[in-house]
Every structure is written in structure tokens, then in C-alpha cells.
């Protein structure tokens, strides 16, 4: 093992537990229930320890752990035939409001929503958009999100923009 | 710069991450375009709502214990792990967070002492349990008010919750429930305020950190008030504003 490897592994060992809350939060927005979310987090830590030597010292540990968690989530879904089929057809990147109409009342409507309403709106997003919204709230850059999702930065930007447009529309529907 | 480009850059503009030139062009456009100003304001409102109101789930204490128990000490070499973390296994080996939890961050070791850890787990349990109530935990019918709720608790709890506020027109009482709260059962009273829900958890305070006087805070976008009265601890949680939550707290705590 090189000194770089040891440094990366050491960072994983010393820092990963500090991200348990953030990982569990993402898991709750992905999983069907709290039990599945706990399993996902535990699987993430198992995989992280096994792959600790691959972590590049000095890079973003939280983003690295998010990537492991999301891969674990996708693996669990693929094990289910039905859900694997759903994953294959869930190509949402072409979906989105065609022409956005915004008026001055929309901001006020959004400011009036309660936690339950915004939670439902986020929960109703397609998984890939929901993930981008949560990662953005966690403070990841577009580059880091792209690394988590295995896509280009431009794709991340587009998904985040579309997800936010759908959220605005759901929380403050335009009334012509 | 045209409207579609300005809207594309709206979030970056809001966050101040644009380079000087596009930042200036976008701001100049906003001065002359009411529709894009409305769009930018809606984007800002959405950011504020997501940051302040979207529930953020904290890892349950049991999960944290299992992770800590299976994780190597800092300074040791990471090795291929055994699968020790399946729920229900390895818990006995976990170091109890209620005594002390050594958290290793960035090479330094910080010890979270008992009171701090206890207070944190009470606040996080209260918020998590409130989310469970929002998620549809069943409520007892209370068409007759408190005198129907309190007998309903009989046989389900090993203590009699002391709550005298039967609700009013501002904060109508919706129902009662019995829910797990850390290592014990809580009597839950659910009140409404317009579209908002407030959950009051009442537990025997023995062994938990409840302050003698009311302590209010916001956590993960929720308002929370904790206090102790006699032998019972009270946790009131809602997405109401903190002042409104404290209005309800005064009604509940008044004799």
C-alpha cells in the first residue's frame, strides 16, 4: 500500500462516522422506509471500509460516501425484478415544464408552504431529481454531484434546474 | 442576456457564484424584466423553503451505536469488514452513547459527555417521532376532548400523563397516541394550528435530560420546546414558528 493509500484510508477511518447523519438523511429520501434506510447506511459503511484504500486523500469524503450509498441503493433496486424494470424506464431527463410561467404571487405561495407539503413535493420527484436536490442542500458542488451520480456536470445542472421547476410548480401552481 | 439565460443562471446569481461579467449582465436584465424578477424571487423562496422546512433526518441512536461498534479505531488500519452491523447483532458490544462517545474527527478526539449526548438524543428523538406522527401514525379518536384521551392511555402506559390543555379554537386537540420514545413509551397529544401539526410527547423524565425551565430551539427546520414538570418530561415539536409554538407551550404548561 502506498503512503497515499494509507492517507486516504486513514481519512475514511477517522472521518466517515461524522457523516452518518448526512448519509442517513439521503437514505431516508431514497428508501421506502426507515428500516431500509438504516440498512443502506450500514451497507455504505461496510463498503466504505472495504474500499477505504481507494479513497483519494484530500478529496471530498462526504461526496465519496454519498456515491457509495447511491450505488448500494441502485444495487438493492436491481435485485428486485420489478424495480429494475422501473429503473430502466425511468428516463426523466427529457421531462419538465415546457414553458414556465411565473408571476409575482408564486414566491409568496412558496413561502407559505408547511414542512409536510414540501416533503411530499420532494418525495414525489423522480429518484434522480430527488437525489440532486438533497445533494445540493448538502452543499455539494455540481462537480461533486456529478461524481456521485456518474454523469456530466451539465447533466447535474439540467436535472437540478428541472427538479426545482417542478417543485415550484407543485408548491405554487400557476393559475391562468 | 435574454430571459431564458437569466433564468438558467438564477440560482447561481442568488448564491453569488457567477463570474463578474454574467453576474452584471443578469442583474442588469432583472432591473428591466418583471417576469424574470418574479422568477428569481420564486427561486429564492424555494431555496429558503427547502433549507428551512424540508425535514432532515438524523441517524437514529441505535444505528449510530451499531456503526460505532463495528468501526475501527482511528489510527488502526482499515481492513475488510465483517458484516457485524445487521440490526440486532453486535449491539451488546456497542459502547453506550449515554456514558460517553469518543468521536474521532480529523485526528483529534472529542469526548461528548453524558449530558450533551442525552440532550441531543432527546431532541433528535422528538423530531424523528414527530415526523412519524406526520407520516400517519394512528390517533385515538377524541371527539370528547381530554376526558376521552386520558382514559384511552390507561393500560397502554405505566404512568399517567399530566396534561391539562384540552385544546381551543386556535389549537384544537386532534387525538392521542402511544409511541416509542427512546427506551420508553410516550403519551402523544396532537394539536393543530391552521395547516400545521404539533406533537406533544410526555414521558417519565427519569434518566433523560429535560430542562427544569423551558428550552426552545429550532432543529432541522422544526421548532422544539423541552421542559420538565415534576417527574415527567415534555417535548413539543412542530413546523410552527417558534413564537407560535411557545404560545401553545404556555397553554399546555399552565396549571
Amino acid at each position: 500500500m502506498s503512503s497515499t493509500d494509507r492517507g486516504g484510508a486513514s481519512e475514511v477511518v477517522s472521518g466517515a462516522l461524522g457523516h452518518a447523519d448526512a448519509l442517513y438523511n439521503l437514505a431516508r429520501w431514497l428508501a421506502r422506509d426507515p428500516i431500509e434506510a438504516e440498512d443502506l447506511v450500514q451497507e455504505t459503511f461496510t463498503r466504505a471500509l472495504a474500499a477505504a484504500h481507494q479513497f483519494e486523500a484530500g478529496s471530498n469524503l462526504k461526496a465519496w460516501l454519498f456515491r457509495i450509498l447511491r450505488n448500494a441503493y441502485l444495487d438493492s433496486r436491481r435485485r428486485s425484478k420489478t424495480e429494475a424494470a422501473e429503473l430502466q424506464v425511468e428516463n426523466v431527463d427529457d421531462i419538465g415544464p415546457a414553458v414556465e410561467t411565473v408571476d409575482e404571487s408564486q414566491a409568496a405561495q412558496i413561502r407559505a408552504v408547511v414542512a409536510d407539503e414540501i416533503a411530499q413535493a420532494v418525495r414525489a420527484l423522480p429518484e434522480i431529481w430527488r437525489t440532486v436536490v438533497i445533494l445540493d442542500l448538502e452543499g455539494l458542488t455540481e462537480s461533486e454531484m456529478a461524481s456521485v451520480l456518474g454523469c456530466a456536470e451539465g447533466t447535474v445542472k439540467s436535472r437540478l434546474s428541472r427538479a426545482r421547476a417542478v417543485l415550484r410548480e407543485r408548491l405554487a401552481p400557476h393559475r391562468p | 442576456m435574454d430571459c431564458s439565460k437569466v433564468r438558467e443562471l438564477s440560482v447561481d446569481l442568488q448564491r453569488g457564484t457567477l463570474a463578474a461579467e454574467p453576474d452584471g449582465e443578469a442583474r442588469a436584465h432583472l432591473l428591466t424584466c418583471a417576469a424574470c424578477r418574479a422568477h428569481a424571487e420564486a427561486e429564492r423562496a424555494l431555496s429558503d423553503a427547502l433549507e428551512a422546512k424540508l425535514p432532515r433526518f438524523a441517524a437514529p441512536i441505535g444505528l449510530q451505536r451499531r456503526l460505532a461498534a463495528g468501526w475501527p479505531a482511528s489510527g488502526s488500519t482499515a481492513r475488510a469488514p465483517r458484516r457485524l452491523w445487521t440490526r440486532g447483532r453486535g449491539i451488546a458490544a456497542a459502547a453506550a452513547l449515554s456514558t460517553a462517545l469518543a468521536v474521532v474527527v480529523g485526528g483529534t478526539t472529542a469526548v461528548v459527555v453524558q449530558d450533551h449526548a442525552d440532550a441531543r438524543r432527546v431532541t433528535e428523538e422528538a423530531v424523528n417521532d414527530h415526523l412519524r406522527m406526520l407520516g400517519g401514525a394512528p390517533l385515538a379518536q377524541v371527539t370528547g376532548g381530554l376526558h376521552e384521551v386520558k382514559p384511552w392511555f390507561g393500560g397502554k402506559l405505566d404512568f399517567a400523563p399530566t396534561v391539562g390543555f384540552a385544546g381551543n379554537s386556535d389549537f384544537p386537540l386532534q387525538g392521542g397516541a402511544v409511541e416509542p420514545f427512546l427506551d420508553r413509551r410516550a403519551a402523544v397529544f396532537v394539536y393543530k394550528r391552521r395547516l400545521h401539526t404539533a406533537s406533544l410527547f410526555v414521558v417519565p423524565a427519569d434518566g433523560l435530560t429535560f430542562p427544569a425551565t423551558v428550552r426552545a430551539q429550532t432543529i432541522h427546520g422544526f421548532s422544539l420546546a423541552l421542559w420538565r414538570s415534576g417527574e415527567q418530561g415534555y417535548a413539543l415539536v412542530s413546523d410552527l414558528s417558534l413564537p407560535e409554538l411557545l404560545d401553545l407551550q404556555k397553554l399546555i404548561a399552565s396549571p
Side-chain angles (χ1 to χ4, degrees):
Chain A
M1 185 183 286
S2 73
S3 59
T4 305
D5 288 342
R6 282 196 298 273
S10 169
E11 271 190 52
V12 173
V13 170
S14 65
L17 286 178
H19 297 296
D21 279 346
L23 290 164
Y24 181 73
N25 183 54
L26 176 60
R28 282 294 301 269
W29 289 104
L30 291 175
R32 287 162 295 198
D33 55 52
I35 293 172
E36 186 189 356
E38 287 197 27
D39 287 345
L40 266 179
V41 173
Q42 292 180 170
E43 177 65 17
T44 300
F45 276 82
T46 300
R47 292 186 184 193
L49 203 52
H53 62 284
Q54 296 172 15
F55 177 71
E56 186 180 336
S59 59
N60 188 325
L61 176 59
K62 186 159 83 166
W64 186 74
L65 292 167
F66 277 144
R67 186 170 70 213
I68 294 174
L69 186 142
R70 184 160 185 276
N71 287 340
Y73 166 77
L74 293 178
D75 288 346
S76 72
R77 285 290 178 271
R78 288 187 189 108
R79 282 195 285 272
S80 156
K81 285 182 182 176
T82 307
E83 290 174 3
E86 286 173 2
L87 278 178
Q88 284 178 352
V89 300
E90 191 182 56
N91 185 356
V92 296
D93 286 340
D94 295 331
I95 305 171
V99 179
E100 264 199 282
T101 309
V102 182
D103 61 40
E104 291 174 356
S105 68
Q106 196 180 41
Q109 284 180 269
I110 292 171
R111 290 193 190 284
V113 300
V114 298
D116 203 23
E117 291 171 307
I118 197 162
Q120 285 179 23
V122 170
R123 184 77 66 192
L125 290 172
E127 179 274 322
I128 190 70
W129 290 2
R130 201 181 328 136
T131 301
V132 171
V133 167
I134 300 299
L135 294 179
D136 183 51
L137 282 171
E138 289 288 345
L140 267 61
T141 64
E142 284 170 3
S143 167
E144 289 164 344
M145 285 192 267
S147 159
V148 172
L149 301 172
C151 65
E153 284 183 47
T155 307
V156 168
K157 194 174 192 67
S158 165
R159 285 172 176 170
L160 182 59
S161 172
R162 287 162 188 259
R164 290 178 63 97
V166 170
L167 286 175
R168 287 197 310 273
E169 176 59 25
R170 284 183 181 155
L171 296 172
H174 175 65
R175 296 183 185 90
Chain B
M1 190 176 283
D2 63 15
C3 290
S4 76
K5 187 64 180 174
V6 170
R7 293 182 185 199
E8 181 187 320
L9 298 177
S10 183
V11 173
D12 293 326
L13 183 67
Q14 180 191 122
R15 294 173 180 173
T17 55
L18 285 177
E21 189 175 343
D23 185 281
E25 288 182 23
R27 289 181 192 282
H29 179 95
L30 289 177
L31 288 174
T32 61
C33 180
C36 285
R37 276 201 306 277
H39 180 275
E41 186 54 33
E43 282 282 33
R44 185 179 300 278
L46 178 63
S47 293
D48 292 345
L50 286 168
E51 287 170 15
K53 296 178 183 173
L54 186 68
R56 191 171 196 279
F57 302 94
I61 204 77
L63 173 63
Q64 292 187 34
R65 283 181 182 169
R66 290 194 296 278
L67 294 174
W71 199 249
S74 184
S76 65
T77 306
R79 53 184 164 69
R82 294 168 293 158
R83 289 184 181 270
L84 292 176
W85 293 325
T86 302
R87 236 185 333 278
R89 295 182 200 167
I91 294 176
L97 289 183
S98 58
T99 53
L101 173 63
V103 182
V104 182
V105 179
T108 63
T109 301
V111 176
V112 182
V113 294
Q114 182 172 348
D115 282 355
H116 188 181
D118 277 353
R120 182 168 176 255
R121 68 185 183 135
V122 167
T123 59
E124 293 190 343
E125 178 72 8
V127 172
N128 282 338
D129 289 354
H130 174 64
L131 288 167
R132 193 160 62 228
M133 299 308 297
L134 292 178
L139 289 180
Q141 296 298 313
V142 289
T143 50
L146 264 188
H147 68 272
E148 280 190 7
V149 176
K150 285 192 172 181
W152 181 83
F153 285 124
K156 298 181 175 66
L157 295 169
D158 56 3
F159 68 103
T162 307
V163 173
F165 180 56
N168 59 22
S169 57
D170 287 335
F171 297 101
L173 178 64
Q174 296 295 294
V178 172
E179 289 289 318
F181 190 97
L182 295 173
D183 59 351
R184 61 202 70 191
R185 288 180 161 192
V188 189
F189 297 80
V190 176
Y191 298 89
K192 295 292 277 190
R193 170 72 168 157
R194 299 185 300 272
L195 293 174
H196 305 269
T197 299
S199 303
L200 171 69
F201 301 92
V202 186
V203 294
D206 181 41
L208 295 179
T209 304
F210 283 93
T213 55
V214 180
R215 191 178 70 222
Q217 62 182 302
T218 57
I219 175 171
H220 307 320
F222 290 95
S223 298
L224 169 68
L226 296 175
W227 72 99
R228 178 180 180 137
S229 178
E231 300 299 312
Q232 294 179 5
Y234 296 77
L236 180 63
V237 195
S238 178
D239 62 348
L240 284 166
S241 68
L242 211 47
E244 282 189 300
L245 186 87
L246 289 173
D247 287 344
L248 175 58
Q249 188 276 330
K250 284 175 192 160
L251 292 168
I252 292 168
S254 61

